[in-house]
Amino acid sequence: MLKTQFASSLILAGYVLAWVLGSEMTQLITTDRENSFEKPAFLTFLNHLGLIIFFPVVSVCVRAEHGSLHNYLKHWSGTKTPTHLFFVYGAVSLVYNTCIYCWVTGLEFIDVSLSNGLYQLQTLFALVLSYIFLKEKFENQKLQGVAVAIIGVAFVCIPPIFLTDDSDSKNDDTSLSKGVMWTVLSAAMWGGYEVSFSSVIIYKKDETKKISESAGADGVVETLTCLGFVGLGTLFFGAPCLVLLDATGIETFTLPVGVQWSNVLVNFAISMLFDFFFGLALFKTSPVCVSPVSSLVIPVSFIADHIFHDKELEITPFFGSALVILGLWRMNGGVTQSAVDKPCDDNRDTDKLLVWT
């Protein structure tokens, strides 16, 4: 039990830190005055294309048990086929790429702390979509938790949106409107990605626990396989989108140069870590379990803005962060037993689910 809690805590700590560092790096890339590279679609495509490299790692991990990656994928596919799941994950990758495209675009107009504060609305979207597609059932306390979390988001976001008078701030009225719009849209797409990622595991009725145990990886192999398919979907379904954006003039295709490449590659590495920790966290728990911990990006983001951008630390956003965490904890406590009895949850130890309650 304690070992499971400690491992899960490390996974989610890595998830939060990678989120904040990735936000800061992405904003640097798109807003740096001397070396800016304002190509959100290209950045999104490159970061997610890199997920394909997880396939060779999976191949090595499963060689002893299954002989080859091909044999493992047939077993991993459950009641489906690898080809069938390729198209399913292609759809998932489109949701993910659209989500991150909106997020990167939003970071061009608003601060990281405000962006990550608004992003907590993804919990509301994940909750609604989990109810619709994953049949998550919850009691009144979950609705109470949503209300408290939204009040917390208001404490975090209202001051920088409505009360700032810093003439040097990027948050003028036009930029704020654009940044908030793109970020909220991305939050909605992120909620969809969280749910779709878990939905596929249910959909294929996989034998994940047997696979992870035989591979000696306790879920890591399953996570890397899923992420590898997201990368594969990005290649086959995301590349045509880049061509379309270039043809329509929405985003002209160009490659980074000089310092831009260094920044892009650092961001790529952080993105890989984030995707790994996120996928592993979802596999070990559920979208509802991940949400309370993701709210920790709010105070961490304000601290990061203070360190990197000399932003003044104020008590209001931390109070709002506490309300968000309290609300999401309350929401997580509202998961009923029927939600734990989903088809895929025989792969999730009860102890792992109780870590967050």
Side-chain angles (χ1 to χ4, degrees):
M1 176 67 172
L2 291 178
K3 183 178 179 181
T4 299
Q5 289 180 328
F6 180 72
S8 298
S9 297
L10 287 180
I11 291 168
L12 288 162
Y15 166 60
V16 170
L17 290 176
W19 183 335
V20 175
L21 290 176
S23 300
E24 293 287 350
M25 197 67 211
T26 299
Q27 188 173 73
L28 173 66
I29 291 172
T30 57
T31 62
D32 184 63
R33 293 180 179 179
E34 297 181 359
N35 299 291
S36 65
F37 185 68
E38 300 180 34
K39 305 292 181 181
F42 176 82
L43 291 173
T44 301
F45 175 80
L46 179 65
N47 287 348
H48 300 159
L49 179 66
L51 297 175
I52 295 176
I53 69 175
F54 286 138
F55 277 128
V57 178
V58 172
S59 180
V60 172
C61 291
V62 302
R63 184 175 301 166
E65 180 70 20
H66 298 280
S68 68
L69 179 63
H70 177 70
N71 291 337
Y72 162 74
L73 289 178
K74 288 195 296 184
H75 181 60
W76 169 84
S77 300
T79 60
K80 311 301 177 183
T81 66
T83 301
H84 181 90
L85 291 178
F86 162 74
F87 287 100
V88 173
Y89 273 107
V92 173
S93 71
L94 287 177
V95 174
Y96 190 25
N97 280 279
T98 303
C99 163
I100 302 303
Y101 173 85
C102 295
W103 173 71
V104 173
T105 303
L107 279 173
E108 296 180 20
F109 303 106
I110 58 178
D111 295 326
V112 167
S113 52
L114 175 57
S115 172
N116 287 339
L118 286 169
Y119 223 85
Q120 298 315 302
L121 293 174
Q122 57 89 12
T123 302
L124 177 61
F125 294 113
L127 177 67
V128 173
L129 294 173
S130 292
Y131 175 78
I132 296 173
F133 296 106
L134 298 183
K135 307 305 179 184
E136 295 267 13
K137 295 183 180 180
F138 46 86
E139 300 167 352
N140 289 335
Q141 66 184 70
K142 179 154 290 189
L143 298 178
Q144 296 168 7
V146 171
V148 173
I150 291 177
I151 293 173
V153 171
F155 270 96
V156 172
C157 299
I158 286 178
I161 292 177
F162 297 105
L163 304 180
T164 182
D165 57 0
D166 185 357
S167 59
D168 295 328
S169 174
K170 72 173 72 174
N171 295 343
D172 57 84
D173 290 342
T174 303
S175 295
L176 274 171
S177 299
K178 291 180 180 179
V180 169
M181 178 193 71
W182 283 110
T183 304
V184 172
L185 179 59
S186 179
M189 298 296 294
W190 182 259
Y193 175 61
E194 284 186 318
V195 172
S196 64
F197 199 93
S198 288
S199 295
V200 176
I201 295 177
I202 299 173
Y203 174 70
K204 67 190 180 75
K205 298 179 181 177
D206 65 80
E207 299 177 22
T208 304
K209 188 168 185 178
K210 294 180 181 178
I211 294 172
S212 62
E213 288 177 350
S214 62
D218 192 26
V220 174
V221 173
E222 163 72 13
T223 300
L224 296 182
T225 305
C226 295
L227 291 174
F229 268 93
V230 171
L232 202 61
T234 298
L235 174 62
F236 284 93
F237 299 100
C241 294
L242 278 183
V243 175
L244 180 62
L245 291 174
D246 181 67
T248 57
I250 297 176
E251 181 177 310
T252 305
F253 180 81
T254 57
L255 293 174
V257 294
V259 177
Q260 292 177 343
W261 261 122
S262 299
N263 292 338
V264 167
L265 290 177
V266 171
N267 187 57
F268 171 80
I270 295 174
S271 177
M272 292 288 289
L273 287 174
F274 171 80
D275 285 318
F276 173 72
F277 283 125
F278 168 73
L280 189 56
L282 274 186
F283 177 81
K284 300 285 275 187
T285 58
S286 73
V288 175
C289 296
V290 172
S291 294
V293 178
S294 68
S295 62
L296 291 175
V297 302
I298 303 176
V300 176
S301 295
F302 277 97
I303 294 172
D305 274 348
H306 175 70
I307 294 173
F308 297 119
H309 308 294
D310 294 322
K311 296 286 185 180
E312 184 179 352
L313 289 177
E314 300 178 355
I315 190 62
T316 303
F318 286 92
F319 176 71
S321 301
L323 286 179
V324 173
I325 294 171
L326 176 62
L328 297 181
W329 176 83
R330 179 70 172 171
M331 287 170 54
N332 189 55
V335 179
T336 63
Q337 184 62 36
S338 57
V340 178
D341 292 333
K342 294 180 298 183
C344 70
D345 283 340
D346 57 346
N347 303 325
R348 298 171 180 170
D349 295 338
T350 303
D351 288 346
K352 297 171 186 174
L353 288 172
L354 294 178
V355 168
W356 315 116
T357 58

